[in-house]
């Protein structure tokens, strides 16, 4: 047997068991089959089974009790945050105060060319770049990389950004935020991001890129946000609109707001969760 295949087999088995636990097929509190039984069932070695169980234990999904066996833990994860696309920008600062933030890096320098182009920066214009990890109930759920034009970034300090939502700092600096353009997709966790979010390298993530514009049409913020999909999701209420023969889905403004949302979320009106 090729030893290099064992980690891949362990990863696959861990994913299979995780899916069975997440779906409820293996209920919380129930006892998993023994290592020899799992090895026989999945056609792998006991070493592979042990690696897979170690991975699940590290994620907090199972408890391994000496002399008793391996049991599925009762769910203790915080309720996932749901960002309502239909809510307005004025709620975002309060949302930020319901979550915590850890500032990973803070500095000034030339931005990547795509960022400079998106913000319509002048040649040679620098940005204030920061990386933050946002938490809910002490658990990380988002990895945020922001670029702000230096002329705005110089108005706040590293300590400001570690304690005040960026949106509030932008408005304090006199940046009249008017609209934004954003794209949502999916990606895989790099080593740095995986470590910051408590995931394995290559874990799936929600990816959001947003460019915020002021009333003068100039860019005031470029955000690249990565979210753990088990702790954050996007939601939009829709209704059927239009005349017969031209019916389509349109967003419905929500009267309420989940106050535990992401501080930097922008609710666009032209996207829906599939």
């Amino acid at each position: 047997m090729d030893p290099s295949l064992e980690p891949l087999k362990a990863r696959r088995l861990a994913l299979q068991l995780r899916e069975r636990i997440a779906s409820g097929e293996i209920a919380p509190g129930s006892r998993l089959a023994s290592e020899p039984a799992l090895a026989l069932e999945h056609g792998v070695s006991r070493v592979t089974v042990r690696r897979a169980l170690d991975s699940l234990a590290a994620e907090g999904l199972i408890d391994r009790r000496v002399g008793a066996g391996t049991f599925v833990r009762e769910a203790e994860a915080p309720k996932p945050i749901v960002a309502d696309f239909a809510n307005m920008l004025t709620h975002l600062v309060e949302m930020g105060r319901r979550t915590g933030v850890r500032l990973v890096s803070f500095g000034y320098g030339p931005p990547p060319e795509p960022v400079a182009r998106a913000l319509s920066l002048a040649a040679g214009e620098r940005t204030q770049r920061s990386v933050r990890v946002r938490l809910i109930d002490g658990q990380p759920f988002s990895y945020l990389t922001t670029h702000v034009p230096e002329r705005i970034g110089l108005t706040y300090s590293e300590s400001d950004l570690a304690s005040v939502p960026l949106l509030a700092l932008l408005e304090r600096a006199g940046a009249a935020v008017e609209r934004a353009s954003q794209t949502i997709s999916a990606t895989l966790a790099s080593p740095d991001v995986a470590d910051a979010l408590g995931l394995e390298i290559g874990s799936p993530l929600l990816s959001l890129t947003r460019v915020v514009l002021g009333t003068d049409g100039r860019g005031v913020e470029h955000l690249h946000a990565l979210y753990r999909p088990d702790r954050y999701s996007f939601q939009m209420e829709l209704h059927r609109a239009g005349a017969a023969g031209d019916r389509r889905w349109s967003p419905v403004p929500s009267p309420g707001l989940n106050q535990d949302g992401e501080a930097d979320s922008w609710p666009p009106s032209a996207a829906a969760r599939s």
Side-chain angles (χ1 to χ4, degrees), residues 12-264:
R12 182 172 63 183
L13 178 57
L15 290 173
Q16 290 173 339
L17 293 174
R18 182 195 296 163
E19 178 60 28
R20 293 175 64 189
I21 292 171
S23 68
E25 180 182 344
I26 305 178
S30 61
R31 184 178 183 275
L32 292 180
S34 66
E35 289 185 7
L38 286 172
L40 181 62
E41 177 186 353
H42 294 277
V44 296
S45 70
R46 289 187 62 178
V47 172
T48 296
V49 171
R50 195 168 297 116
R51 285 177 173 172
L53 295 180
D54 286 343
S55 175
L56 296 178
E59 293 182 48
L61 295 177
I62 60 174
D63 283 322
R64 307 182 73 181
R65 306 171 190 171
V66 177
T70 301
F71 296 83
V72 177
R73 297 186 62 180
E74 297 290 340
E76 297 179 355
K79 183 178 179 181
I81 295 171
V82 178
D84 188 342
F85 274 171
N87 283 295
M88 299 306 294
L89 183 63
T90 52
H91 297 285
L92 300 181
V93 173
E94 182 175 356
M95 291 164 66
R97 291 171 179 162
R98 298 300 182 90
T99 61
V101 66
R102 177 164 58 86
L103 185 61
V104 177
S105 66
F106 181 98
Y108 297 86
E113 194 277 331
V115 172
R117 184 172 63 252
L119 292 175
S120 300
L121 299 179
E125 188 173 359
R126 304 197 311 167
T127 59
Q128 188 285 303
R129 179 185 181 275
S130 67
V131 175
R132 292 167 294 152
V133 174
R134 194 163 285 282
L135 308 96
I136 180 70
D137 295 336
Q139 299 297 317
F141 69 89
S142 68
Y143 186 94
L144 312 173
T145 302
T146 54
H147 287 267
V148 174
E150 186 175 33
R151 65 181 184 278
I152 299 174
L154 288 173
T155 65
Y156 56 82
S157 66
E158 184 172 351
S159 61
D160 286 335
L161 192 58
S163 59
V164 181
L166 179 56
L167 178 63
L169 296 176
L170 296 178
E171 293 182 335
R172 188 185 74 181
V177 175
E178 181 179 51
R179 59 191 177 89
S181 171
Q182 80 178 14
T183 302
I184 297 173
S185 60
T187 189
L188 301 177
S190 65
D192 288 348
V193 175
D195 181 64
L197 295 182
L199 296 168
E200 292 187 6
I201 297 172
S203 295
L205 297 171
L206 294 173
S207 175
L208 179 149
T209 299
R210 184 177 68 235
V211 180
V212 180
L213 304 176
T215 54
D216 59 359
R218 302 177 71 185
V220 297
E221 177 197 4
H222 182 284
L223 167 71
H224 182 222
L226 299 172
Y227 300 96
R228 286 185 56 143
D230 60 334
R231 294 178 180 168
Y232 193 86
S233 63
F234 296 96
Q235 176 177 305
M236 173 175 262
E237 297 294 328
L238 304 172
H239 73 101
R240 293 289 283 171
D246 188 30
R247 301 281 284 172
R248 61 189 181 278
W249 289 111
S250 293
V252 178
S254 172
L257 179 68
N258 179 348
Q259 294 297 325
D260 286 331
E262 164 63 57
D264 291 327

